[in-house]
């Protein structure tokens, strides 16, 4: 690869601020919430529980990139409003996915951090547009078939436009393995922490697709050096509208958070 802005040789390690939360500092940051924003009642119930557990940032998809056009596409603008209201009520910053350049402005009004999903990692128009938003934190997920260098070039697209507030999110890649939904590539975490300036978190939910694997792969991600985790959780995981199979309960999330805290003291 050529000499990139994201390369450690070209500057300090980047810390990204989302409200009072810093990603890339000493604290391991936990982002959690449902795959999709489903309703106000459901989102506020989840938001209150997550706040009590000490989660740092609330997530929820309003625009959903579903494989089938016949599946639930998200509550869209209504979902954004619900997420924003709940974030304010429980006093947590929120992150949500933006899929279309035409929605960037609205998403920015409602969210504290914008997520570029796996399917849009190669959407260079979208990357350039969010790159122009100098103070807006961007969560850049790895394309499901992207090499490490393609992913870093995607980050470079954003950074070269002036926005350096980028957090990478490893969410697993497609391999010949099919027991799990994706193969969670923790090598990427080790490489990025060693050679690159951007903070990196891991999404063990999409990385495994299986809720019973989420706790152990969360700990493995932290052991590999991740700056935090993004985990899909729900008050009734089996009833989640999307990605129920990989969504964990509040009890399970509580144990993960406690184990990370214990680990720090060890
Ligand atoms: C998500 O985080 O809701 C999501 C759709 O993930 P990905 O883009 O990694 O598939
Ligand atoms: Mn999901």
């Amino acid at each position: 690869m050529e000499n990139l802005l994201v390369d450690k040789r070209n500057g300090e390690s980047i810390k990204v601020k989302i409200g009072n939360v810093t990603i890339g500092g000493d604290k391991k940051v936990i982002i959690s919430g449902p795959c999709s924003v489903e309703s106000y009642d459901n989102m506020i119930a989840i938001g209150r529980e997550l706040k009590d557990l000490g989660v740092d940032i609330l997530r929820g998809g309003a625009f959903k990139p579903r494989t089938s056009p016949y599946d639930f596409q998200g509550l869209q603008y209504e979902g954004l409003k619900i997420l924003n209201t709940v974030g304010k009520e429980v006093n947590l910053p929120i992150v949500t996915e933006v899929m279309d350049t035409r929605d960037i402005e609205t998403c920015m009004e409602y969210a504290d951090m914008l997520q570029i999903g796996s399917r849009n990692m190669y959407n260079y128009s979208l990357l350039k547009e969010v790159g122009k938003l100098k103070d807006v934190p961007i969560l850049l997920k790895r394309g499901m078939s992207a090499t490490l260098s393609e992913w870093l070039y995607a980050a470079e697209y954003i950074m070269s436009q002036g926005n350096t507030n980028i957090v990478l999110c490893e969410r697993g890649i497609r391999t010949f393995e099919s027991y799990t939904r994706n193969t969670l590539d923790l090598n990427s975490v080790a490489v990025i922490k060693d050679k690159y300036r951007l903070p990196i978190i891991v999404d063990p939910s999409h990385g495994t697709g299986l809720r019973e694997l989420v706790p152990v792969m969360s700990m493995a991600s932290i052991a590999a050096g991740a700056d935090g985790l993004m985990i899909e959780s729900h008050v009734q995981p089996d009833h989640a509208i999307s990605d129920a199979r990989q969504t964990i309960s509040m009890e399970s999330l509580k144990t993960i958070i406690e184990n990370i805290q214990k680990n720090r003291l060890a």
Side-chain angles (χ1 to χ4, degrees):
M1 284 176 92
E2 60 209 287
N3 197 7
L4 298 180
L5 295 169
V6 294
D7 199 297
K8 258 192 188 167
R9 286 171 299 174
N10 293 321
E12 301 273 294
S13 287
I14 289 171
K15 292 184 170 70
V16 177
K17 282 203 163 159
I18 306 101
N20 296 327
V21 178
T22 302
I23 307 186
D26 290 337
K27 187 178 186 292
K28 304 298 181 189
V29 169
I30 309 292
I31 304 177
S32 193
C35 180
S36 303
V37 178
E38 301 178 0
S39 68
Y40 171 77
D41 288 350
N42 179 265
M43 199 65 221
I44 188 72
I46 294 172
R48 287 195 178 123
E49 295 258 5
L50 294 179
K51 178 72 181 184
D52 284 349
L53 294 185
V55 161
D56 303 286
I57 300 174
L58 194 58
R59 67 150 280 152
F63 296 96
K64 293 305 301 177
R66 304 305 298 281
T67 303
S68 165
Y70 307 116
D71 284 342
F72 175 61
Q73 301 289 304
L75 296 179
Q76 316 211 350
Y77 299 107
E78 191 198 336
L80 279 181
K81 286 183 193 153
I82 292 172
L83 195 60
N84 178 277
T85 307
V86 169
K88 285 196 175 117
E89 279 188 54
V90 302
N91 193 25
L92 283 178
I94 59 169
V95 57
T96 199
E97 176 165 354
V98 59
M99 298 206 300
D100 192 312
T101 51
R102 292 169 295 187
D103 295 325
I104 291 176
E105 224 173 284
T106 317
C107 287
M108 261 173 67
E109 273 172 40
Y110 289 105
D112 303 286
M113 182 181 215
L114 300 182
Q115 175 174 325
I116 306 288
S118 188
R119 291 155 189 82
N120 272 310
M121 189 213 82
Y122 292 108
N123 184 340
Y124 300 122
S125 314
L126 187 58
L127 298 176
K128 281 184 194 167
E129 285 305 311
V130 299
K132 291 178 194 158
L133 313 172
K134 303 236 177 339
D135 296 321
V136 179
I138 306 298
L139 184 60
L140 178 63
K141 297 191 87 173
R142 182 178 185 174
M144 60 184 78
S145 302
T147 63
L148 204 50
S149 60
E150 286 167 342
W151 187 19
L152 288 163
Y153 275 122
E156 196 77 9
Y157 261 97
I158 300 173
M159 208 154 165
S160 60
Q161 295 295 319
N163 191 352
T164 57
N165 301 291
I166 306 164
V167 176
L168 298 172
C169 179
E170 169 62 58
R171 48 80 72 206
I173 50 174
R174 282 197 166 157
T175 66
F176 55 82
E177 181 52 65
S178 61
Y179 186 91
T180 49
R181 180 177 180 179
N182 290 290
T183 297
L184 187 58
D185 178 18
L186 296 182
N187 294 347
S188 74
V189 178
V191 172
I192 282 160
K193 291 310 292 180
D194 185 36
K195 301 250 176 342
Y196 297 93
R197 298 167 65 196
L198 298 177
I200 177 166
I201 66 167
V202 175
D203 168 358
S205 308
H206 294 87
T208 63
L210 300 170
R211 72 165 70 109
E212 58 275 25
L213 298 183
V214 170
V216 70
M217 296 317 290
S218 294
M219 298 318 288
S221 304
I222 298 297
D227 295 299
L229 298 168
M230 178 153 83
I231 299 176
E232 286 181 343
S233 64
H234 198 285
V235 284
Q236 288 181 296
D238 283 328
H239 292 103
I241 294 181
S242 53
D243 286 350
R245 186 65 186 85
Q246 68 194 34
T247 298
I248 65 169
S249 65
M250 295 298 149
E251 295 73 47
S252 177
L253 184 64
K254 183 170 190 269
T255 309
I256 293 171
I257 293 173
E258 283 169 359
N259 284 338
I260 291 172
Q261 283 164 351
K262 265 189 237 155
N263 226 38
R264 284 200 48 164
L265 300 174

